[in-house]
Amino acid sequence: MHNTNEIEVTFPDKSQRSYPSGITGLEIAQGISPGLAKKAMFVLVNDQQWDLTRAIEEDAKVEIITRDHKLALEIIRHDTAHILAEAVKELYPETQVTIGPAIENGFYYDFYREKPFTPEDFPIIEKRMAEIVDRDENLTRHVWSHDKAIDYFESIGETFKAELIRDLPGSEEISIYQQGDFIDLCRGPHLPSTKKVGKSFKLMKLAGAYWRGDSTKPQLQRIYGTAWRDDKELKNHLKCLEEAEKRDHRKLGQQMDLFHFQEEAPGSVFWHPRGWSLYLNFQKFIREKISKNGYSEINTPQLLDRKLWEKSGHWEKYHENMFVTQTEDERVFALKPMNCPCHVEMFKKGIKSYRDLPLRLAEFGCCHRYEPSGALHGLMRVRAMVQDDAHIFCTPEQIKSETARFCTLLFDVYKDLGFHDVKIKFADRPEKRAGSDATWDQAEQALKGAIDSLDLDYDLNEADGAFYGPKLEFYIRDAIGRSWQCGTLQLDFVLPERLGAKYIDQNGDQKIPVMLHRAILGSLERFIGVFLEHNAGHIPLWLSPLQVVVAPITKNLNNYAQIVVEKLRKSGIECDHDLSNEKINYKIREHSNKKIPYIFVLGPREEKNKQVSVRKLGQQSSETLDLDLAIDKLVDEIKTKGKI
RNA sequence: GCCGCCGUGGCUCAGUGGUAGAGCGCACCCUUGGUAAGGGUGAGGUCGAGAGUUCAAUUCUCUCCGGCGGCACCA
């Protein structure tokens, strides 16, 4: 065994070595190899992140983390945030620092300063940051008492930092990092010196942010940056951003001539012919799915008397988000923000028996919500939208089977649409809620039981349910890794009661039905936005508003083009011809930019042999096929939704 | 809603304290051309709205509207 001045270190490969107590991670690395010491960034000591220079005094599991490790990026970003703060303090000493964490792809730092930063400040700040890196300042860790830390930050006028420390448990020791003259509260760890951080960073954008994310608290200025191991990674990331920008559905919407917005209708879409056709294709697709699944489609009014909204609780809970109108007779109406009250009214029409349940009412109802102006964002967040909405009225016993049924439908729909990565979150009872604990127990169990019986994984989204019931949230992952909540299933015990919905059970007693609010796509507007970005505008043939453009090479082929178009249309294919006075190169470019799935090029050879030259979007080469065969292939692709 | 930035022909953008320019698109003409921009000519803008400063405002200031990036919000 070893004496008290020695400690036993266990490495990831399970090998063990003795070291004098108080040895640092850096020294251990040096002992292994100088190369390792050079690449080392920090150490994991018993799975905790430690500075390389921190003394290890007891037996421990030790792993040296090098620049290649995925955890290293986080440290680089965190350190870069500190370097940003140091640079800002040097350049603008009146600024107060607050917090600056590493985030996905980079970091940010929130500052408090009267004068706003502008993007013109970026080069100046970046230059100073580079200087700080060159200075090779050591980052040293100090441990201060709670009071000392508060006194220090108060004394230098850093009131936000002082407030942070004040909120930390008083018994806890406060770790402080110093680099040059800059001293900051930080949990760490950090790299040993600023030089090790490197200069593969870039300040990206400026934004407002509230102190502690609270809109009643002071507004801070947030500087976002990105930071990487080396310039190659940085460049790569900037390129990815460009790619994502190209996918922006607002840009695609314009390029593809799908929709536009204008000042007079903020947050409401003007759908162009092709965009609307796409929209209707989605609607048709969902309509077919739900009609096969036992839903009845209905339609209910847009504008309803204030009294209904008072009864439903929306007037109280949702008033700020509602568009309200008044007619000359002074009656107050509101545009519906949701369909549910109307669906309950529909349910109430006539006496319902338990035999009528479950009753599934679906509606593509246009809902208006007065969303905060700052929240509007293309199709993703609008003020007028249509959901693939439905409400299922059922008995408590039917919750489980209805949930299972819905999940099956939802996965089926997502699969058809090319979303294969779906995550589920289960949001349980929130603090503020209606209904008894017994009811909640029942509801949560029913939902949980249903997911479990379907053998689905889900995460808990604690206390995030609706006030009337627990909900399932369905997140789809898109082609560039982003996650979107689209589908939802919510249990509601409140609204049917408030609006007086009843059914007669087996014993002839009046009962209040349970209501399931559910949507798969969520809002069609938003889903189309997500879908466009997911596919980078390459809409699958079966959903594409315009499926084929027939492009003859010369005027002499116009007649044949006409024949081809007619044949395509007879087979149910959406197509158009391009008889414009342009060369074929131009036509190809034009329709490729518009993301038309197929271009049929016609020349004298094709005409002679009753063929077409098929060019598929995204492919450089083309294939000459007999016209009938080409049509069969497309029809087949449409029928199978592109899945052979 | 909050912070910062932006708002010029259909689109992308340049520009100026003395009422504007390019490319693409559009119209017409020439060209009839095999897989991502052939050539020429022409039309088209009260420079987001209102107020102020000024002899003079698209340009400077303010207010409003809209957009962008975040924050907050997302029942």
Side-chain angles (χ1 to χ4, degrees):
Chain A
M1 308 278 54
H2 54 89
N3 65 42
T4 48
N5 292 326
E6 294 244 312
I7 58 168
E8 193 78 4
V9 166
T10 309
F11 293 103
D13 64 358
K14 301 276 189 295
S15 68
Q16 292 193 325
R17 254 176 96 170
S18 297
Y19 290 99
S21 171
I23 191 160
T24 66
L26 189 60
E27 287 161 349
I28 293 175
Q30 268 157 355
I32 296 168
S33 88
L36 181 63
K38 209 172 163 195
K39 282 204 300 182
M41 306 210 78
F42 66 98
V43 275
L44 284 181
V45 177
N46 295 329
D47 297 325
Q48 298 221 317
Q49 301 185 3
W50 279 33
D51 299 302
L52 280 176
T53 51
R54 190 163 163 187
I56 302 168
E57 280 157 349
E58 280 167 32
D59 290 0
K61 207 169 79 184
V62 167
E63 183 178 359
I64 313 271
I65 304 299
T66 65
R67 211 172 174 82
D68 313 318
H69 195 105
K70 64 175 186 287
L71 284 172
L73 261 182
E74 214 175 290
I75 302 293
I76 289 171
R77 287 167 184 162
H78 187 189
D79 283 10
T80 310
H82 275 250
I83 291 170
L84 167 62
E86 184 180 0
V88 166
K89 284 295 283 188
E90 286 184 8
L91 291 164
Y92 319 100
E94 74 282 9
T95 310
Q96 285 197 51
V97 294
T98 69
I99 56 162
I103 52 172
E104 200 179 354
N105 299 328
F107 60 92
Y108 66 77
Y109 209 108
D110 286 348
F111 298 100
Y112 181 78
R113 181 188 181 219
E114 294 278 320
K115 196 174 163 220
F117 289 108
T118 71
E120 283 81 67
D121 297 325
F122 282 5
I124 303 165
I125 300 171
E126 282 171 342
K127 197 174 153 227
R128 182 60 64 101
M129 289 170 71
E131 284 168 25
I132 292 170
V133 171
D134 285 336
R135 278 186 222 154
D136 200 8
E137 289 174 355
N138 286 331
L139 279 128
T140 44
R141 181 174 188 271
H142 305 282
V143 177
W144 288 0
S145 73
H146 202 254
D147 293 343
K148 182 182 173 188
I150 293 175
D151 289 348
Y152 173 76
F153 286 107
E154 289 281 8
S155 76
I156 59 166
E158 295 283 4
T159 55
F160 291 93
K161 280 283 174 200
E163 183 184 327
L164 280 179
I165 299 166
R166 215 168 266 127
D167 287 356
L168 291 171
S171 55
E172 212 171 90
E173 292 194 311
I174 306 297
S175 67
I176 300 291
Y177 280 81
Q178 176 165 20
Q179 57 191 76
D181 295 329
F182 178 61
I183 291 180
D184 199 1
L185 160 76
C186 189
R187 183 171 290 128
H190 285 287
L191 295 173
S193 88
T194 55
K195 186 131 206 162
K196 281 222 169 190
V197 180
K199 295 186 197 169
S200 301
F201 58 77
K202 184 172 160 54
L203 300 183
M204 301 299 285
K205 54 198 172 190
L206 220 41
Y210 297 110
W211 171 235
R212 306 197 137 181
D214 183 340
S215 58
T216 64
K217 299 238 163 79
Q219 177 107 31
L220 308 172
Q221 300 188 58
R222 177 171 296 178
I223 297 179
Y224 282 92
T226 185
W228 299 85
R229 293 185 182 89
D230 54 47
D231 287 348
K232 203 173 145 199
E233 281 188 355
L234 173 63
K235 244 186 215 157
N236 189 34
H237 175 247
L238 296 176
K239 212 169 169 193
C240 284
L241 287 182
E242 262 174 57
E243 277 305 309
E245 221 172 286
K246 275 189 213 151
R247 285 176 181 256
D248 189 314
H249 73 282
R250 293 164 299 187
K251 212 168 236 180
L252 289 169
Q254 191 170 71
Q255 267 170 36
M256 298 166 70
D257 193 16
L258 301 177
F259 57 84
H260 82 267
F261 291 89
Q262 62 188 50
E263 279 196 28
E264 291 80 355
S268 297
V269 190
F270 285 75
W271 287 102
H272 296 14
R274 279 186 201 174
W276 187 242
S277 171
L278 174 64
Y279 192 103
L280 292 175
N281 285 346
F282 272 100
Q283 217 175 55
K284 185 175 161 222
F285 166 62
I286 292 295
R287 194 168 263 142
E288 280 166 8
K289 289 285 182 193
I290 61 176
S291 94
K292 276 185 202 149
N293 256 271
Y295 290 79
S296 310
E297 187 177 331
I298 58 173
N299 195 263
T300 63
Q302 302 269 312
L303 211 49
L304 296 110
D305 195 291
R306 164 183 181 157
K307 287 194 201 93
L308 178 70
W309 302 112
E310 283 173 350
K311 253 195 270 179
S312 71
H314 286 83
W315 196 263
E316 187 202 340
K317 301 236 181 231
Y318 206 66
H319 185 249
E320 281 184 356
N321 289 289
M322 288 166 72
F323 285 96
V324 178
T325 68
Q326 190 167 10
T327 43
E328 277 193 34
D329 58 7
E330 308 218 321
R331 228 175 130 178
V332 174
F333 292 90
L335 279 163
K336 65 176 169 188
M338 305 173 198
N339 297 308
C340 31
C342 288
H343 288 196
V344 178
E345 294 305 310
M346 188 70 84
F347 179 87
K348 281 159 63 186
K349 204 68 198 154
I351 294 170
K352 294 289 181 297
S353 146
Y354 71 95
R355 294 176 197 274
D356 297 318
L357 305 183
L359 182 67
R360 308 184 190 93
L361 298 178
E363 177 173 3
F364 294 102
C366 183
C367 295
H368 287 79
R369 299 176 185 182
Y370 186 74
E371 300 287 356
S373 59
L376 301 181
H377 182 91
L379 295 177
M380 301 299 192
R381 193 79 178 270
V382 290
R383 285 183 176 157
M385 42 92 167
V386 173
Q387 292 166 298
D388 61 326
D389 197 15
H391 295 91
I392 302 168
F393 296 88
C394 64
T395 67
E397 295 72 36
Q398 289 167 334
I399 292 171
K400 190 169 167 172
S401 59
E402 283 306 305
T403 301
R405 196 186 169 102
F406 172 68
C407 287
T408 308
L409 174 61
L410 173 133
F411 280 102
D412 178 48
V413 166
Y414 286 165
K415 204 176 82 205
D416 279 353
L417 294 173
F419 292 100
H420 303 288
D421 189 349
V422 184
K423 293 253 179 325
I424 306 174
K425 285 191 185 171
F426 179 86
D428 64 2
R429 65 191 79 184
E431 295 259 321
K432 270 188 173 176
R433 58 181 184 264
S436 68
D437 284 353
T439 316
W440 275 91
D441 287 343
Q442 186 190 18
E444 287 173 357
Q445 270 170 28
L447 261 185
K448 270 193 179 148
I451 319 177
D452 291 341
S453 72
L454 281 170
D455 204 21
L456 296 171
D457 288 331
Y458 58 89
D459 292 326
L460 192 62
N461 194 1
E462 225 170 303
D464 204 33
F467 72 92
Y468 46 73
K471 62 180 178 186
L472 295 177
E473 298 164 339
F474 299 86
Y475 293 81
I476 52 178
R477 200 172 174 79
D478 74 11
I480 53 176
R482 296 168 305 181
S483 173
W484 304 89
Q485 197 225 301
C486 292
T488 182
L489 177 88
Q490 310 174 359
L491 280 193
D492 185 353
F493 291 101
V494 176
L495 203 55
E497 183 174 16
R498 285 191 78 127
L499 294 178
K502 292 187 188 85
Y503 69 94
I504 312 295
D505 75 0
Q506 286 97 319
N507 306 318
D509 296 330
Q510 288 197 343
K511 287 279 168 60
I512 299 168
V514 179
M515 187 174 179
L516 298 176
H517 306 241
R518 43 111 292 161
I520 299 173
L521 305 185
S523 111
L524 286 176
E525 283 76 5
R526 182 161 174 277
F527 193 88
I528 289 173
V530 171
F531 192 75
L532 284 172
E533 299 200 357
H534 175 62
N535 292 294
H538 292 224
I539 300 168
L541 187 69
W542 64 280
L543 277 168
S544 186
L546 184 58
Q547 297 167 314
V548 180
V549 164
V550 178
I553 285 171
T554 74
K555 254 189 221 155
N556 303 331
L557 281 309
N558 283 1
N559 197 33
Y560 181 49
Q562 193 67 52
I563 292 168
V564 172
V565 163
E566 274 163 28
K567 266 202 119 163
L568 282 163
R569 289 200 178 134
K570 255 186 207 148
S571 308
I573 291 167
E574 291 298 330
C575 64
D576 218 335
H577 48 219
D578 180 352
L579 307 183
S580 66
N581 181 16
E582 296 290 352
K583 288 194 173 184
I584 194 62
N585 281 343
Y586 185 93
K587 295 183 185 182
I588 299 277
R589 180 180 156 79
E590 164 101 341
H591 301 111
S592 298
N593 284 338
K594 288 230 149 59
K595 318 269 190 241
I596 308 302
Y598 285 99
I599 301 170
F600 282 8
V601 175
L602 310 181
R605 287 200 298 273
E606 283 80 10
E607 184 185 33
K608 193 172 149 219
N609 301 321
K610 293 270 165 280
Q611 291 181 319
V612 288
S613 167
V614 178
R615 184 183 168 118
K616 188 176 174 142
L617 179 62
Q619 281 175 203
Q620 303 293 66
S621 59
S622 56
E623 184 184 18
T624 301
L625 297 174
D626 288 344
L627 176 58
D628 290 333
L629 179 60
I631 291 176
D632 284 350
K633 278 187 137 180
L634 292 201
V635 168
D636 201 49
E637 185 179 339
I638 292 166
K639 205 163 65 192
T640 60
K641 299 188 167 65
K643 291 174 295 229
I644 316 295

